[in-house]
Amino acid sequence: MKQKLLNDLVAAMKNQDKETLSVLRMVKGAIQLEEINKKSELTDDDFVGVVSKQIKTRKESIAEFEKAGRTDLVEQTTKEIEILNKYMPEQLSEEEILKVIDEAFDTVNPQAQSDMGKLMGFVTPKLKGKADMSFVSKTIKEKLANL
């Protein structure tokens, strides 16, 4: 994954694609920072985690830009997310996510809201990087509220 990013970075430089180049440089910097913090080479799962954080940050930025009425920044940030999505594993459909959540409820058999951590512990390894975890969390909270 990291090598793919570096190859794409070189290609963006050659093609003078400033927008892609800028995004890939930010991701490369975040990856290098994470490697320094871990004191080791990142695995593909770690790489996906870093890219996922970058996407999450940009989604939060979009919400703020929309509140401020900055459609130009919303468009730019949306393009950045599209570039970052190329480095994420294929996202699961809502139906597939709900299956995993239902499986978690069957396995953990939650009794109250306090079991949220157990449920998230069950679904996170299966869905991390493949689903929007804020959607997963919200869905689990709703199901717990209906117990």
Side-chain angles (χ1 to χ4, degrees):
M1 294 289 269
K2 184 178 175 187
Q3 191 58 46
K4 180 182 182 325
L5 176 93
L6 295 175
N7 292 342
D8 290 350
L9 188 69
V10 171
M13 280 186 219
K14 287 181 181 177
N15 297 333
Q16 296 183 355
D17 183 352
K18 292 179 181 175
E19 191 173 15
T20 302
L21 185 61
S22 169
V23 173
L24 295 181
R25 281 185 173 156
M26 281 189 269
V27 172
K28 183 182 175 206
I31 288 168
Q32 288 173 329
L33 183 65
E34 190 68 24
E35 285 178 337
I36 290 169
N37 290 340
K38 280 190 134 188
K39 297 182 170 102
S40 67
E41 191 85 12
L42 293 184
T43 64
D44 279 351
D45 287 341
D46 295 334
F47 179 87
V48 168
V50 171
V51 174
S52 180
K53 284 181 192 172
Q54 295 286 317
I55 291 172
K56 181 180 179 186
T57 302
R58 283 167 174 77
K59 285 182 178 177
E60 291 168 355
S61 297
I62 286 175
E64 294 299 316
F65 295 149
E66 285 174 343
K67 285 181 190 172
R70 296 290 310 265
T71 55
D72 56 330
L73 293 176
V74 170
E75 289 174 22
Q76 177 185 345
T77 308
T78 302
K79 288 177 186 174
E80 291 177 5
I81 290 173
E82 289 172 12
I83 293 167
L84 291 171
N85 278 330
K86 294 176 188 172
Y87 301 96
M88 293 295 289
E90 190 173 323
Q91 298 293 294
L92 296 175
S93 70
E94 189 173 324
E95 188 176 290
E96 292 169 314
I97 294 169
L98 293 174
K99 276 185 193 173
V100 173
I101 292 172
D102 289 340
E103 181 184 332
F105 270 79
D106 293 342
T107 305
V108 174
N109 195 19
Q111 303 301 318
Q113 289 280 34
S114 59
D115 292 327
M116 176 76 178
K118 291 177 188 174
L119 290 165
M120 288 301 291
F122 184 87
V123 300
T124 299
K126 295 180 180 191
L127 298 176
K128 189 169 183 154
K130 298 177 188 168
D132 179 4
M133 294 307 287
S134 62
F135 169 76
V136 172
S137 175
K138 185 179 93 178
T139 305
I140 289 175
K141 283 178 185 171
E142 288 172 2
K143 283 190 82 160
L144 281 172
N146 294 331
L147 283 180

